[in-house]
Amino acid sequence: MGNISPRYRVPKEIRTIADVLRRKGRKTYIVGGALRDHFLGRGETNDIDLATDATPTEILELFPRVIPTGIKHGTVTILLRALQVEMTTLRVEKGYSDGRRPDSIDFVKDIAEDLSRRDFTMNAMALEVPSEEFFDPFSGRIDIGNKKIRSVGNAAARFTEDGLRPLRAIRFAAQLGFDIDDDTLSAIPPSIPTFRKVSAERIRDEFGKLLVSTRPASGLALLEATGLLSEILPELVPARGCLQKGLHAYDVLDHLFLAVQASPPDLGLRLAALFHDAGKPASMILGENDIPSFHGHEVISETLALRAMRRLRFPNDTIARVCHLIAQHMFHYGPEWTDAAVRRFIARAGVDSIEDLLYLRIADTAATAGTAPDPYSVEDFRNRIVSVKSKDSAFRIKDLAINGNDLAAIGFPRGPAMGRILNELLETVLDDPDQNTIEKLSNIATSLRDRLGLSNKI
Ligand code: ATP
Ligand code: MG
């Protein structure tokens, strides 16, 4: 079947695995992304998928460090030194009555049969190790040369088997800068009923890869054009056609797409960019001359993002980070800000989120006018923050010269009231850092206690 480019260097670990299997009369093939990325000239990857005619049970017996990741579907993970290798027993899938998983799988002996169940021609190539015989029954290598994503076999039929494949096609288009072949693309809209059956976790993983790809804006545009966007994120639908006037060159949805594109390829930042103005349509009020205003939109944006991310089962720490960034994205720094204003910003944003918020602002500005991201646009604010931070100040309750135990020692009741007092003390110190001594704060706390009427509870 022709030889693969001699430049492909099979990693030593893979040869070791293949040797072990060969001694048992079993075959080993490199499949999937590693070969695709090789032909793309993307260099070597540590994420290698293997196929074999050995059964999962045999593999478990042959290798000491194996995790039975998806053993029901014939997939295990072999750990070899620093490498993690997914190994799948050659198989075909039978019947997809639920559009999400095969009714049954059959292990097969023939690599060509295994390749025929794979999603796209560029992912349906195999290289046998150690013979280095190359299998490319669907001309994936030619499609890679033409930058085409093409279903293996009939696209409509393949999308009805597994509704995730349309999203994978668009994810690969965004990652690789490929076009989706016409027949494959036009099979996407009719496959939406099958897409609806796909689990949230699988959608989340593919959508996340799309977001952190090099061309997320064109990926998002493809999702919209094929009808998938409103399936994945109905929260964004009202943003289409929501015009902003003023400095804005785009409607809210294009602004969001461009903000994602202009953000660094970090999942949390890109999710925050995608949702930061999603609440604008719901908060819009038309003023004089039909100029819209969007007061409080960040609160609605945060709610919409929270709902969407929970539905897609993003991890809680991702959700918390994204929500915080959205809630805090509306700041308007100017040189007239006092040091106290800068300190309050740092306290509200949280020291660890400041860089993220600045990245988001750079992206937001770029996506307003359609210009390139300009890191220097936030330089004045960043310098100001650095200088204010360098003056030994308190930005969090735990930076205060006094703590809950100190307050308890001078007779304060523990509980929510103490939390309120500590918050008040932090506000005081943000206004005037000179107040951050134990004597001054105890005095302030005592007078606050009297004013809040807490004294009689002691
Ligand atoms: P990545 O670089 O993102 O890991 P990949 O092509 O290796 O890309 P995987 O999800 O790791 O993608 O899948 C490995 C291989 O398994 C694919 O190359 C493809 O041959 C096959 N495959 C994965 N998902 C599907 C699917 N939903 N339907 C059919 N084949 C699939
Ligand atoms: Mg892979």
Side-chain angles (χ1 to χ4, degrees):
M1 274 198 140
N3 244 325
I4 193 166
S5 154
R7 281 178 300 124
Y8 187 83
R9 299 229 330 262
V10 178
K12 215 166 60 224
E13 291 86 348
I14 303 297
R15 289 189 187 282
T16 310
I17 293 174
D19 258 2
V20 173
L21 287 162
R22 195 160 52 101
R23 266 180 252 127
K24 296 284 168 190
R26 297 303 189 194
K27 294 191 162 147
T28 307
Y29 306 87
I30 296 178
V31 288
L35 293 181
R36 182 189 69 226
D37 292 350
H38 167 71
F39 288 124
L40 282 166
R42 288 180 131 202
E44 289 168 23
T45 163
N46 274 338
D47 176 16
I48 294 181
D49 299 300
L50 295 181
T52 179
D53 56 354
T55 64
T57 324
E58 287 175 304
I59 303 169
L60 286 173
E61 280 163 9
L62 286 171
F63 297 93
R65 292 164 68 213
V66 185
I67 308 170
T69 21
I71 197 147
K72 273 197 301 209
H73 305 107
T75 302
V76 299
T77 303
I78 300 184
L79 304 173
L80 204 69
R81 290 181 214 120
L83 224 59
Q84 275 198 29
V85 185
E86 298 253 294
M87 180 168 251
T88 304
T89 302
L90 299 182
R91 63 177 205 214
V92 288
E93 290 146 10
K94 292 257 179 89
Y96 281 81
S97 41
D98 66 356
R100 19 191 321 175
R101 59 183 99 75
D103 298 332
S104 66
I105 59 165
D106 274 354
F107 294 137
V108 296
K109 287 283 151 211
D110 183 11
I111 182 70
E113 249 186 291
D114 177 274
L115 293 175
S116 72
R117 61 130 182 127
R118 293 176 182 269
D119 48 5
F120 305 111
T121 59
M122 62 181 184
N123 289 340
M125 304 178 290
L127 180 73
E128 193 185 339
V129 183
S131 73
E132 303 209 8
E133 187 178 353
F134 179 51
F135 297 84
D136 182 13
F138 307 101
S139 306
R141 194 174 175 176
I142 292 175
D143 281 338
I144 290 174
N146 293 329
K147 297 178 173 260
K148 277 275 181 240
I149 295 164
R150 189 193 311 275
S151 280
V152 168
N154 179 279
R158 303 309 310 283
F159 290 172
T160 316
E161 287 169 3
D162 177 2
L164 186 70
R165 289 172 187 159
L167 177 55
R168 281 176 61 85
I170 294 174
R171 183 265 278 194
F172 283 120
Q175 261 184 344
L176 308 175
F178 281 23
D179 288 327
I180 301 176
D181 165 70
D182 286 346
D183 287 345
T184 303
L185 187 62
S186 59
I188 295 181
S191 73
I192 284 179
T194 317
F195 180 76
R196 293 194 179 125
K197 300 175 186 171
V198 178
S199 75
E201 288 81 357
R202 294 180 76 209
I203 294 173
R204 173 200 63 206
D205 289 348
E206 289 296 331
F207 184 68
K209 287 182 182 180
L210 183 156
L211 275 189
V212 301
S213 72
T214 45
R215 294 165 196 77
S218 57
L220 289 162
L222 266 175
L223 289 181
E224 189 190 13
T226 52
L228 283 173
L229 189 69
S230 56
E231 298 296 323
I232 302 171
L233 298 173
E235 290 82 3
L236 296 182
V237 171
R240 175 54 78 218
C242 180
L243 297 174
Q244 319 188 59
K245 308 222 167 150
L247 297 171
H248 283 267
Y250 304 100
D251 73 357
V252 173
L253 193 60
D254 279 333
H255 171 67
L256 294 175
F257 289 0
L258 290 172
V260 172
Q261 185 71 56
S263 303
D266 169 283
L267 183 62
L269 278 177
R270 289 202 163 170
L271 281 166
L274 183 61
F275 279 101
H276 75 283
D277 281 348
K280 277 193 168 175
S283 67
M284 181 164 82
I285 291 171
L286 282 184
E288 259 175 61
N289 301 324
D290 282 351
I291 302 290
S293 63
F294 305 97
H295 290 296
H297 72 268
E298 68 275 22
V299 180
I300 303 179
S301 301
E302 184 191 352
T303 309
L304 294 173
L306 178 70
R307 187 193 302 164
M309 289 187 292
R310 283 205 176 136
R311 187 180 57 245
L312 287 173
R313 303 201 201 287
F314 277 97
N316 286 335
D317 53 349
T318 304
I319 295 179
R321 175 176 171 221
V322 173
C323 284
H324 177 69
L325 294 177
I326 295 171
Q328 297 297 326
H329 86 272
M330 292 296 290
F331 52 87
H332 301 283
Y333 174 74
E336 73 283 1
W337 275 30
T338 59
D339 279 3
V342 176
R343 282 191 296 270
R344 272 195 294 271
F345 171 79
I346 297 171
R348 226 183 16 253
V351 174
D352 296 339
S353 299
I354 287 172
E355 276 306 310
D356 282 355
L357 285 169
L358 295 179
Y359 277 130
L360 207 53
R361 172 53 55 87
I362 294 166
D364 195 356
T365 307
T368 300
T371 48
D374 174 13
Y376 293 104
S377 59
V378 298
E379 222 28 41
D380 289 347
F381 190 23
R382 181 183 275 122
N383 290 337
R384 210 37 214 295
I385 291 168
V386 169
S387 115
V388 167
K389 262 172 60 183
S390 70
K391 299 173 199 157
D392 187 29
S393 317
F395 301 106
R396 293 163 302 183
I397 283 177
K398 65 178 191 190
D399 300 332
L400 291 173
I402 206 166
N403 63 25
N405 292 335
D406 302 326
L407 289 177
I410 54 170
F412 279 79
R414 292 192 185 271
M418 186 179 279
R420 266 170 69 201
I421 299 253
L422 287 167
N423 272 318
E424 286 290 328
L425 294 179
L426 179 61
E427 288 299 319
T428 307
V429 170
L430 288 170
D431 272 336
D432 177 8
D434 288 344
Q435 302 298 316
N436 197 16
T437 68
I438 192 150
E439 299 77 27
K440 287 180 179 165
L441 292 184
S442 333
N443 288 338
I444 298 167
T446 311
S447 70
L448 269 174
R449 177 186 64 188
D450 297 343
R451 242 195 313 131
L452 295 173
L454 294 171
S455 45
N456 46 8
K457 291 197 193 130
I458 294 174

